[in-house]
Amino acid sequence: MHVNGQHYRTVWLQSGVVMMIEQNKLPFSFQIHQCHTYHQTCQAITTMVTRGAGAIGSTAAYAMAQAFLAKADANQARATIEATRPTARNLFYAVKLVFAAGMAGGAARAVAEAERIADEDCAACRAIGEFGAALMPENCRLATHCNAGWLAFTDYGSALAPVYAAARLGKKPFVYVDETRPRGQGARLTAWELRGEGIDHAIIADNACAWLMAQGKIDLMIVGADRIARNGDTANKIGTLEKALAARHFGVPFYVAAPTATIDLACQNGRAIPIEEREPDEILYQTGPDKDGVMREILVCSPGSEAVNPAFDVTPVALVSGFITEKGILQASEIGL
Ligand code: MRU
């Protein structure tokens, strides 16, 4: 996708350095973050300089390649990379493949495999856009949660790829963007992406979606996925489950968009998906520029209260209308095939 007229991927490898869009600074400042070692790349995943399942996958692939380039202990590097974030399946998918390539053929093979995985992610998302756009009528009013746009992948996105494809077809989609507390990936990242692409949208409070559905203002909901179990239970950003419940109640089709790299056949159902717990401070504090443009971190909760911060929830497959993948729109029974 383009920023200020220039094409960017979310993450890329340049002369052994992993380059990535600094997502913690968006939408207030557009910066490129550089990681010179695999340890730095791991740190960038943990601190969410880069985030989103597909972007994490490509970044982890490059981190594994960096370890081979540096002649580091590959087993130790793999364990370190896999410990960065637990939920997104794409990370484990990518690291396994680059590790195997590096062990078989050394650093050059590892780099080539990492690049192949990044390209595969782009191609899958592009196909998801084309399949998903067919679900969207003219003037479709769509709701999404979190950011499953191009920032969450190497390019194009999953849940937002159909929106971009529909817009290119002249269908004029409108997107309701959940703010997605605590980190605000919707309010900050999805809104920034949609503005950049010229897509009409409105940010809504996290608890507004059901009411808009009750009023018949939402035609379709598409969300991304961090891990899909063999039976179709889907882990995605915390808050997805309550949207899916509301969608079922009000008869709004609820689709999950994800490349098949997000499907984990080893997880029989959602109970086997590891759910990341993040720092309570993400709930207690918010960061943004004050009216003079100076970045501030402020307390937004009652001083002294504790917070609990599960980063993902699991939507039971029974609430999912279908899975938009690069292979087409699948039903749950087709996932494990
Ligand atoms: O914690 P994040 O920002 O890495 O979470 C990932 C997400 O953005 C969402 O869960 C998204 O809907 C799926 S990832 C494409």
Side-chain angles (χ1 to χ4, degrees), residues 85-87 145 180-183 185 236-240 274-280 282-283 307-314:
R85 293 195 71 192
T87 303
H145 186 59
T180 319
R181 281 275 282 148
R183 293 187 66 96
Q185 289 97 326
N236 193 51
K237 182 54 55 188
I238 190 77
T240 304
I275 299 296
E276 180 180 14
E277 283 277 340
R278 292 188 61 87
E279 287 298 310
E282 289 186 350
I283 292 177
V308 176
N309 189 13
F312 302 95
D313 57 28
V314 177

Side-chain angles (χ1 to χ4, degrees), residues 23 45 48 50-56 85 88 90 144-149 151-153 157-159 180 183 185 189-190 222-227 235-238 240 257-259 262 276 278 282 311-312:
Q23 300 197 32
I45 297 173
M48 295 177 67
T50 193
R51 34 65 51 201
I56 291 174
R85 293 195 71 192
N90 307 56
T144 191
H145 186 59
C146 196
N147 172 263
L151 287 165
F153 287 85
S158 60
T180 319
R183 293 187 66 96
Q185 289 97 326
L189 303 178
T190 297
I222 306 181
V223 299
D226 293 272
R227 194 182 297 224
N236 193 51
K237 182 54 55 188
I238 190 77
T240 304
T262 306
E276 180 180 14
R278 292 188 61 87
E282 289 186 350
F312 302 95

Side-chain angles (χ1 to χ4, degrees), residues 17-281:
V17 180
V18 181
M19 316 281 285
M20 61 188 74
I21 294 174
E22 196 350 331
Q23 300 197 32
N24 286 325
K25 298 273 198 283
L26 288 174
F28 311 114
S29 156
F30 181 77
Q31 295 178 22
I32 304 302
H33 180 81
Q34 300 188 7
C35 302
H36 294 262
T37 66
Y38 85 83
H39 284 290
Q40 290 176 354
T41 308
C42 287
Q43 177 79 358
I45 297 173
T46 307
T47 58
M48 295 177 67
V49 172
T50 193
R51 34 65 51 201
I56 291 174
S58 294
T59 306
Y62 289 137
M64 195 69 242
Q66 277 183 312
F68 281 104
L69 286 168
K71 300 190 184 350
D73 179 328
N75 283 293
Q76 196 178 359
R78 178 178 179 176
T80 304
I81 299 163
E82 289 185 339
T84 52
R85 293 195 71 192
T87 303
R89 164 70 184 151
N90 307 56
L91 182 150
F92 300 89
Y93 165 85
V95 170
K96 182 179 177 186
L97 291 174
V98 179
F99 178 84
M103 294 306 270
R109 280 273 292 281
V111 169
E113 182 65 355
E115 294 293 10
R116 190 197 65 74
I117 288 167
D119 291 346
E120 174 186 79
D121 187 59
C122 294
C125 288
R126 192 176 194 152
I128 286 168
E130 279 155 26
F131 286 120
L135 294 169
M136 298 177 62
E138 296 253 325
N139 303 309
C140 181
R141 296 159 306 168
L142 178 126
T144 191
H145 186 59
C146 196
N147 172 263
W150 67 268
L151 287 165
F153 287 85
T154 318
D155 205 348
Y156 299 104
S158 60
L160 293 186
V163 173
Y164 298 138
R168 281 194 295 276
L169 294 170
K171 289 187 172 182
K172 297 191 176 11
F174 180 90
V175 184
Y176 287 106
V177 179
D178 268 352
E179 55 183 346
T180 319
R181 281 275 282 148
R183 293 187 66 96
Q185 289 97 326
R188 296 166 79 120
L189 303 178
T190 297
W192 180 79
E193 270 194 37
L194 292 173
R195 252 175 81 79
E197 297 300 316
I199 309 281
D200 289 339
H201 65 281
I203 300 167
I204 56 172
D206 276 328
N207 36 20
C209 201
W211 177 238
L212 293 174
M213 287 179 181
Q215 293 179 301
K217 291 187 173 171
I218 296 176
D219 304 310
L220 175 68
M221 182 143 201
I222 306 181
V223 299
D226 293 272
R227 194 182 297 224
I228 301 170
R230 178 184 276 271
N231 73 339
D233 288 350
T234 297
N236 193 51
K237 182 54 55 188
I238 190 77
T240 304
L241 171 58
E242 61 189 34
K243 292 349 173 235
L245 288 163
R248 174 54 54 98
H249 184 81
F250 293 111
V252 175
F254 181 92
Y255 282 86
V256 170
T260 52
T262 306
I263 298 170
D264 186 355
L265 296 179
C267 282
Q268 295 302 318
N269 57 47
R271 284 191 300 280
I273 299 177
I275 299 296
E276 180 180 14
E277 283 277 340
R278 292 188 61 87
E279 287 298 310
D281 277 3

